[in-house]
């Protein structure tokens, strides 16, 4: 009997810890190992601050729809903290840690991946592991999709939940270009023959940084190990072909490479306005979604370069010092539900590919996706390149590459 009581006490201690609200009042936090209903009951009445990039009106509208749903279904008030860069939230969390604010923090939920995830994991500022405890995680095939369990080569280990999948694509108007350039040398030659008709967003914007990463992976010597942190000599050898290429390309860019669009949507608008002939996106359905919204003409198509396209997964995470970790878990579980994932994948809503495995869904849930596929409004990683071509997928390099790449780009080209 004593053994049973001791085991029960251990479970109780494991499922609860203390935290404080913004008003300083102490409260019990439900741990990541607690029964799910306890998480849902505690989440009711909480305000969840979701720090997420806000550079696209379609995405902002989707987040607002999520806020309405979780309020109606779970009594949670979801507040979108609109960011230009996720690094803003990461800096705030790390500053709170330095100030000793290890409870009652200002960030609950984050849309995150890559170097931002790596930084928070390295500083032990992520809540969890919590993903396996989410009821919706049963819909995800982690075992057969390595990109769902690693983030820029860093093991996820249940500290963030996959939310969507991406592939880097080029976008062009087929009325203006019959055969778009499909290699980096061909892109340079095309830019030389068509000055000021191409550019890319300035890093550290993620579309601009992704353009650099994909070009680096394609042009670098084949013996470079991008899954490891490079020393100075390795970084110089790997990036020398890239910067030689950019030195030749920049004089032929929009505004002669002296200034750059700030975001991917801003660059897409330049295509719509006729200032550019080719633009970029890390959402392979971005062109289809923009056509459906009337932002681009239906003659626009997307494609991948013959040498390969950069692919990754974007995730959701909870700050270790979150004020409402229970509410954040309930919101993430809703975001991974078949209804929320199917709506997100609809090109009329957002057009972001789902992370769920359709084989794991009930027939009625599968219908949410299959009906959209028949109607041609479903975003998937496999269907995004509208000309039907296949493209080799590059895995993201270790986060340390991006930091050095952006620094070197700024030294060379930032005005």
């Amino acid at each position: 009997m004593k053994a049973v009581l001791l085991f029960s006490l251990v479970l109780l201690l494991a499922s609860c810890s203390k935290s404080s609200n913004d008003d300083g009042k102490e409260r019990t936090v439900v741990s990541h190992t607690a029964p799910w209903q306890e998480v849902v009951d505690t989440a009711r009445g909480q305000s969840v601050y979701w720090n997420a990039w806000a550079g696209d009106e379609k995405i902002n509208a989707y987040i607002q729809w999520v806020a309405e749903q979780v309020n109606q279904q779970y009594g949670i008030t979801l507040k979108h903290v609109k960011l230009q860069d996720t690094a803003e939230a990461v800096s705030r969390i790390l500053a709170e840690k330095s100030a000793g604010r290890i409870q009652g923090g200002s960030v609950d939920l984050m849309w995150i991946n890559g170097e931002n995830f790596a930084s928070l994991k390295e500083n032990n500022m992520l809540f969890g592991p919590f993903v396996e405890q989410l009821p919706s995680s049963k819909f995800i095939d982690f075992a057969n999709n390595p990109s769902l369990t690693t983030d820029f080569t860093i093991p996820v280990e249940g500290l963030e939940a996959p939310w969507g999948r991406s592939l880097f694509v080029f976008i062009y108007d087929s009325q203006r270009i019959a055969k778009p350039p499909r290699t980096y040398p061909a892109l340079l030659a095309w830019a030389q023959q068509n000055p000021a008709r191409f550019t890319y967003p300035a890093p550290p914007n993620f579309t601009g940084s992704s353009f650099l990463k994909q070009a680096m992976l394609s042009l670098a010597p084949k013996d470079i190990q991008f899954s490891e942190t490079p020393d100075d000599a390795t970084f110089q050898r790997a990036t020398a072909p890239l910067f030689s290429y950019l030195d030749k390309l920049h004089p032929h860019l929009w505004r002669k490479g002296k200034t750059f669009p700030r975001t991917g949507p801003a660059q897409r608008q330049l295509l719509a306005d006729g200032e550019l002939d080719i633009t970029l996106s890390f959402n392979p359905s971005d062109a289809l979604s923009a056509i459906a919204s009337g932002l681009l003409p239906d003659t626009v198509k997307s494609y991948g370069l013959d040498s390969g396209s950069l692919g990754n997964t974007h995730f959701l995470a909870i700050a270790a010092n979150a004020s409402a970790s229970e509410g954040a878990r309930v919101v993430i579980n809703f975001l991974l539900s078949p209804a929320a994932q199917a709506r997100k994948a609809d090109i009329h809503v957002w057009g972001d590919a789902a992370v769920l495995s359709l084989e794991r869904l009930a027939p009625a849930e599968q219908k949410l996706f299959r009906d959209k596929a028949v109607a041609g409004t479903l975003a998937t990683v496999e269907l995004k390149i509208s000309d039907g071509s296949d493209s080799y997928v590059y895995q993201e390099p270790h986060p340390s590459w991006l930091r050095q790449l952006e620094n070197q780009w700024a030294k060379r080209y930032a005005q």
Side-chain angles (χ1 to χ4, degrees), residues 15-21 27-34 36 38-40 42-44 46-49 76 102-110 125-128 130 134 317-333:
S15 65
C16 303
S17 61
K18 296 292 185 182
S19 183
S20 57
N21 296 315
R27 73 173 185 87
T28 300
V29 174
V30 178
S31 88
H32 59 277
T33 60
W36 181 247
E38 185 178 348
V39 177
V40 173
T42 306
R44 184 167 292 279
Q46 288 187 339
S47 293
V48 174
Y49 289 83
I76 293 170
I102 58 173
Q103 299 170 345
S106 62
V107 177
D108 294 311
L109 173 61
M110 293 168 283
M125 287 306 291
L126 289 168
F127 176 87
F130 69 91
L134 302 176
I318 303 170
N321 64 341
S323 295
S325 66
E326 301 89 351
R329 276 173 276 173
V330 172
V331 172
I332 292 175
N333 188 63

Side-chain angles (χ1 to χ4, degrees), residues 394-410:
Y394 286 114
Q395 300 301 311
E396 289 277 4
H398 188 277
S400 56
W401 283 91
L402 179 58
R403 289 191 285 268
Q404 295 188 55
L405 195 57
E406 291 175 341
N407 289 338
Q408 287 301 312
W409 186 93

Side-chain angles (χ1 to χ4, degrees), residues 214-229:
Q214 179 172 299
M216 175 184 71
L217 294 168
S218 178
L219 299 171
K222 301 307 178 189
D223 63 328
I224 300 293
Q225 298 298 315
F226 288 101
S227 60
E228 302 171 357
T229 300

Side-chain angles (χ1 to χ4, degrees), residues 115-310:
E115 72 276 17
N116 292 312
F117 169 72
S119 179
L120 290 178
K121 186 180 182 186
E122 181 180 345
N123 283 278
N124 296 315
M125 287 306 291
L126 289 168
F127 176 87
F130 69 91
V131 177
E132 285 190 5
Q133 281 70 40
L134 302 176
S136 292
S137 67
K138 66 184 178 184
F139 302 131
I140 302 174
D141 185 2
F142 291 99
N144 293 305
N145 292 285
S147 70
L148 304 182
T149 56
T150 58
D151 186 350
F152 286 46
T153 74
I154 306 296
V156 169
E157 298 178 324
L159 295 172
E160 58 179 1
W163 188 30
R165 304 178 70 180
S166 300
L167 194 69
F168 196 77
V169 294
F170 287 65
I171 299 170
Y172 71 105
D173 189 333
S174 61
Q175 270 204 330
R176 297 183 220 158
I177 303 177
K179 293 183 178 180
R182 290 184 173 276
T183 66
Y184 284 101
L187 176 63
L188 175 59
W190 181 89
Q192 291 169 335
Q193 295 165 8
N194 300 274
R197 305 301 295 172
F198 175 69
T199 188
Y200 58 94
N205 170 270
F206 69 88
T207 302
S209 295
S210 298
F211 173 74
L212 296 185
K213 284 187 289 184
Q214 179 172 299
M216 175 184 71
L217 294 168
S218 178
L219 299 171
K222 301 307 178 189
D223 63 328
I224 300 293
Q225 298 298 315
F226 288 101
S227 60
E228 302 171 357
T229 300
D231 57 27
D232 288 344
T234 301
F235 181 81
Q236 294 300 326
R237 193 163 70 88
T239 58
L242 168 68
F243 288 117
S244 174
Y245 181 84
L246 294 179
D247 288 345
K248 297 173 185 173
L249 179 67
H250 275 207
H252 309 289
L253 294 181
W254 177 73
R255 297 188 178 179
K256 298 184 177 181
K258 301 297 184 184
T259 186
F260 298 83
R262 292 187 61 188
T263 67
Q267 188 185 15
R268 184 180 63 208
Q269 186 59 48
L270 292 174
L271 177 68
D273 293 342
E275 289 197 53
L276 299 178
D277 289 333
I278 300 176
T279 185
L280 309 163
S281 179
F282 215 144
N283 179 350
S285 297
D286 189 50
L288 292 175
S289 182
I291 293 169
S293 302
L295 299 176
L296 290 175
D298 60 7
T299 51
V300 166
K301 299 180 182 298
S302 55
Y303 69 103
L305 295 189
D306 294 345
S307 54
S309 299
L310 188 65

Side-chain angles (χ1 to χ4, degrees), residues 1-12:
M1 184 63 179
K2 286 184 177 179
V4 173
L5 290 174
L6 178 60
F7 181 66
S8 299
L9 179 59
V10 169
L11 282 180
L12 177 63

